[in-house]
């Protein structure tokens, strides 16, 4: 558990993670509060099993956090499946049942494509599936445990996040551990998530029959037995007016709080969670936050506004997770219905943050980042009178920030576009001037030493990893052999103590390595 902090902002760790869990629901295509209900059942089940307070706390946080690494594979998921959000049912499906598996594939893989394309996609999935799932789960675990470490959650939680895809019979991933090797709180959340899902679909009977059929395969048989004995009471405790409030009240032990200083770290966790969704957005939210804060300072806004705009910048796009990467990464123009989905993302941001009294004001500001002075923006199309200076700055910063795919959007072109929109009466001139001036004066540090003991060449490789390039693509981009690329990648992994591309990408974002190499002159200066 994190320490209790003296500098109390009124934000509980549970509130932050519960808010993030609403984004996770969207990011994995589940109904809102799916994670919260799993967490609530885990807390009730842990209590009824007589678990220690420490194990109950770990189960509670593990239930909230177990899918926080899901965005790290969104792009490859979308490439393999078509719409990664359509695979929600796979998360609680019995993978041993081949008929169910085939049904899932036929219902979901490349569902908008022609018969032949679908057949090809399904064949590709069948071939690549097992190895892909293993790699994908390793990435989720690696990222999730690093998030827990950043938030200073317990060692038990950090270790447990490596067990969330394992199975009692050893047929899970990524390390194939089994039985009591799997941490006890994780064995509790395994059953709690599936039982809460089946209860929502078919009541107590469906949950109990699912639990019995998976005992000894997915689940610890002793936990299943205890669950089945108390199932009606446990499951009916989920039928409450406010799941949010009940989950917060169910936190075992003394609630941990987040200090004012730590809110930036917490908001950066949200930023990385959403930015990992696409190689085109890696580092975007951190860059917007820095730029908007610098511009707000330049405009002479009070410090409270500078802080608010920075934090709103970090969380502004969290609602993006609710829209498939098939839309975000689409090479051609979007259709009308795809635009409708895109226009929802600031609304999702607002709803995700709205439940927590401490985060709601940040969510409300963040939700204005696509609004325009002439009312032509989205999602509310509010008029200029309702757009405070902080919102105007955020909107201009969002359009100006550097993007990883520089070739597609060089800084000068972004600045031209921002000026064009200002001249058309869509963006505030003061905000635009402050943002462009802050962007122009932003000093990129001249680095003689790179974090993690990386060499300059390794940082270059790491940046390409973060942009989603394969080893072959990196070799072509750097004009070196694939073998040399593999050596670099292995050295990077060793130096950073990571085992997946996702964790390496997370390191690159946290250390501002995404954009630093964009101008080689900084390196040679
Ligand atoms: Fe956005
Ligand atoms: Fe954005």
């Amino acid at each position: 558990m994190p320490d209790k902090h003296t500098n109390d902002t009124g934000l509980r760790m549970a509130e932050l993670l519960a808010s993030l869990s609403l984004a996770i629901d969207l990011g994995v295509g589940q109904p809102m509060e799916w994670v919260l209900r799993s967490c609530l059942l885990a807390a009730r089940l842990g209590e009824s099993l007589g678990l220690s307070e420490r194990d109950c706390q770990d189960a509670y946080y593990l239930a909230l956090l177990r899918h926080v690494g899901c965005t790290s594979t969104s792009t490859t998921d979308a490439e393999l499946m078509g719409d990664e959000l359509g695979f929600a049912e796979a998360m609680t499906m019995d993978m041993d049942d081949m008929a169910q598996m085939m049904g899932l594939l036929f219902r979901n893989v490349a569902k908008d494509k022609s018969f032949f394309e679908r057949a090809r996609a399904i064949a590709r999935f069948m071939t690549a599936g097992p190895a892909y799932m293993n790699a994908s789960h390793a990435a989720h675990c690696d990222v999730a445990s690093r998030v827990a470490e950043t938030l200073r959650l317990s060692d038990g939680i950090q270790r447990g996040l490596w067990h969330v895809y394992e199975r009692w019979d050893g047929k899970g991933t990524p390390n194939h551990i089994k039985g009591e090797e799997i941490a006890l709180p994780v064995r509790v959340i395994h059953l709690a998530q599936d039982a809460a899902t089946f209860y929502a679909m078919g009541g107590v009977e469906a949950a109990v029959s699912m639990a019995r059929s998976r005992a000894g395969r997915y689940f610890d048989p002793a936990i299943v037995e205890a669950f089945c004995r108390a199932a009606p009471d446990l499951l009916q405790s989920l039928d409450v007016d406010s799941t949010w409030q009940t989950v917060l009240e169910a936190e075992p032990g003394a609630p941990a709080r987040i200090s004012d200083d730590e809110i930036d770290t917490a908001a950066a966790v949200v930023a990385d969670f959403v930015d990992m969704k696409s190689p085109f957005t890696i580092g975007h939210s951190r860059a917007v936050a820095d730029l908007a804060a610098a511009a707000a300072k330049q405009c002479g806004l009070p410090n409270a506004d500078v802080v608010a705009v920075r934090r709103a910048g970090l969380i502004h796009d969290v609602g993006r997770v609710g829209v498939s990467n098939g839309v975000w990464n689409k090479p051609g123009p979007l259709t009308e219905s795809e635009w409708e989905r895109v226009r929802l993302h600031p609304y999702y941001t607002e709803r995700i943050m709205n439940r927590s009294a401490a985060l709601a004001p940040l969510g409300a500001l963040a939700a204005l980042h696509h609004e325009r002075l002439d009312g032509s923006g989205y999602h509310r199309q509010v008029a200029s009178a309702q757009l405070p200076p902080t919102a105007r700055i955020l909107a201009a910063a969002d359009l100006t920030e550097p993007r990883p795919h520089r070739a597609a959007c060089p800084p000068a072109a972004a600045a031209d576009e921002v000026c064009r929109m200002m001249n058309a009466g869509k963006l505030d001139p003061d905000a635009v001037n402050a943002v462009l001036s802050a962007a122009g004066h932003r000093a990129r540090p001249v680095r003689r030493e790179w974090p993690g003991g990386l060499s300059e060449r390794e940082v270059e490789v790491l940046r390409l990893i973060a942009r989603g390039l394969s080893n072959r693509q990196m070799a072509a981009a750097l004009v070196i052999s694939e073998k040399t690329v593999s050596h670099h990648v292995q050295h990077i992994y060793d130096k950073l103590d990571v085992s997946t591309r996702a964790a390496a990408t997370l390191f690159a974002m946290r250390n501002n390595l995404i954009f630093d190499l964009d101008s080689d002159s900084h390196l040679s200066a």
Side-chain angles (χ1 to χ4, degrees):
M1 283 290 297
D3 305 330
K4 286 196 76 175
H5 304 292
T6 46
N7 188 4
D8 185 357
T9 54
L11 178 61
R12 282 169 54 181
M13 179 64 77
E15 246 179 300
L16 169 77
L17 298 186
S19 301
L20 193 52
S21 85
L22 299 175
I24 291 170
D25 290 334
L26 284 170
V28 296
Q30 293 286 358
M32 279 299 232
E33 301 188 342
W34 178 70
V35 174
L36 289 181
R37 289 163 58 84
S38 304
C39 171
L40 185 54
L41 187 56
R44 301 283 187 244
L45 182 55
E47 214 175 76
S48 85
L49 291 167
L51 260 56
S52 68
E53 185 174 275
R54 166 51 63 92
D55 280 343
C56 284
Q57 287 170 332
D58 284 2
Y60 180 88
Y61 282 99
L62 281 161
L64 290 173
L65 268 178
R66 65 180 290 181
H67 298 294
V68 77
C70 66
T71 51
S72 65
T73 58
S74 289
T75 292
T76 36
D77 289 348
E79 280 165 11
L80 201 60
M81 304 166 187
D83 178 355
E84 78 279 13
L85 304 184
F87 270 71
E89 57 181 309
M91 302 184 75
T92 48
M93 181 173 276
D94 188 342
M95 295 291 179
D96 295 345
D97 186 333
M98 199 37 104
Q100 270 197 49
M101 274 293 293
M102 292 310 293
L104 171 82
L105 296 184
F106 280 104
R107 276 194 302 281
N108 293 292
V109 171
K111 59 185 167 195
D112 303 329
K113 300 285 190 299
S114 70
F115 175 80
F116 290 109
E117 280 179 281
R118 293 199 71 198
R120 258 200 307 274
I122 290 170
R124 197 167 58 236
F125 192 93
M126 295 295 285
T127 316
Y132 178 72
M133 291 306 276
N134 203 54
S136 165
H137 289 166
H140 293 183
C141 296
D142 211 347
V143 169
S145 67
R146 280 162 210 279
V147 167
E149 185 185 12
T150 304
L151 294 174
R152 301 199 292 131
L153 297 172
S154 75
D155 289 347
I157 294 171
Q158 292 175 40
R159 269 196 312 276
L161 285 164
W162 276 99
H163 298 179
V164 295
Y165 293 104
E166 301 292 354
R167 290 174 40 157
W168 178 260
D169 61 9
K171 292 183 181 169
T173 51
N175 296 314
H176 313 291
I177 59 171
K178 62 179 177 183
E180 292 183 1
E181 289 172 322
I182 302 168
L184 178 57
V186 179
R187 283 181 265 147
V188 171
I189 68 163
H190 278 161
L191 174 56
Q193 175 184 278
D194 291 3
T197 307
F198 275 71
Y199 176 61
M201 291 188 301
V204 174
E205 217 171 289
V208 167
S209 119
M210 177 280 304
R212 287 205 196 285
S213 77
R214 297 182 188 183
R217 294 188 297 124
Y218 281 86
F219 306 139
D220 179 340
I223 295 181
V224 169
E225 217 27 67
F227 165 74
C228 290
R229 277 198 301 273
D233 284 348
L234 285 170
L235 291 166
Q236 280 151 17
S237 74
L238 300 180
D239 302 333
V240 291
D241 285 341
S242 168
T243 307
W244 173 272
Q245 197 51 41
T246 313
V247 166
L248 291 184
E249 285 164 7
E251 180 180 0
R257 297 189 179 277
I258 294 178
S259 72
D260 191 54
D261 291 347
E262 290 169 327
I263 290 192
D264 283 288
T265 307
V269 162
V270 177
D272 296 339
F273 167 75
V274 63
D275 287 358
M276 287 194 99
K277 186 172 167 68
S278 163
F280 300 131
T281 54
I282 292 289
H284 168 79
S285 302
R286 285 178 184 258
V288 169
D290 284 350
L291 185 53
K297 219 175 206 169
Q298 190 146 330
C299 285
L301 296 191
N303 191 47
D305 283 352
V306 175
V307 170
V309 85
R310 182 176 69 238
R311 291 172 179 172
L314 287 168
I315 63 156
H316 76 284
D317 267 336
V318 65
R320 269 177 178 270
V321 294
V323 181
S324 164
N325 265 4
V327 174
W328 293 122
N329 296 350
K330 186 177 174 181
L334 300 184
T335 64
E336 198 177 321
S337 68
E338 286 165 341
W339 258 114
E340 281 304 318
R341 294 171 73 184
V342 165
R343 289 166 70 93
L344 282 174
H345 83 269
Y347 172 72
Y348 290 149
T349 295
E350 188 167 17
R351 299 312 303 168
I352 288 164
M353 295 295 157
N354 188 259
R355 302 287 187 89
S356 155
L359 296 173
L362 293 181
L365 171 56
L368 296 172
H369 74 274
H370 286 292
E371 299 293 355
R372 301 291 176 247
L373 292 184
D374 60 0
S376 64
Y378 58 90
H379 64 289
R380 291 220 166 84
Q381 300 190 299
V382 299
S384 58
Q386 291 166 270
L387 294 172
T390 43
R392 296 169 186 223
I393 288 170
L394 192 56
D398 183 48
L399 284 168
T400 311
E401 58 75 43
R403 289 169 193 272
H405 51 312
R406 278 277 174 124
C409 186
D416 286 350
E417 172 65 6
V418 169
C419 289
R420 192 189 60 73
M421 291 183 70
M422 176 184 77
N423 292 332
K426 292 176 187 297
L427 294 174
D428 181 294
D430 290 340
V432 168
N433 287 333
V435 163
L436 290 182
S437 160
H441 292 109
R442 187 168 30 190
R444 298 240 179 260
V446 177
R447 305 213 202 197
R448 301 289 173 208
E449 277 185 21
W450 296 98
L454 296 175
S455 69
E456 191 176 307
R457 188 57 146 178
E458 285 162 352
V459 172
E460 218 168 351
V461 172
L462 177 56
R463 190 180 63 152
L464 298 181
I465 290 175
R467 291 179 184 187
L469 270 66
S470 65
N471 281 14
R472 180 175 298 177
Q473 291 167 323
M474 286 195 269
L478 299 171
V479 202
I480 53 178
S481 71
E482 250 185 277
K483 201 173 162 191
T484 312
V485 169
S486 314
H487 280 308
H488 284 315
V489 171
Q490 196 49 54
H491 284 155
I492 292 168
Y493 283 15
D494 290 346
K495 286 180 180 176
L496 304 185
D497 192 25
V498 299
S499 54
T500 61
R501 283 172 157 257
T505 300
L506 192 60
F507 179 90
M509 284 196 290
R510 288 175 172 183
N511 288 279
N512 296 320
L513 298 178
I514 303 296
F515 303 109
D516 264 14
L517 288 179
D518 277 336
S519 167
D520 287 336
S521 61
H522 293 299
L523 297 174
S524 51

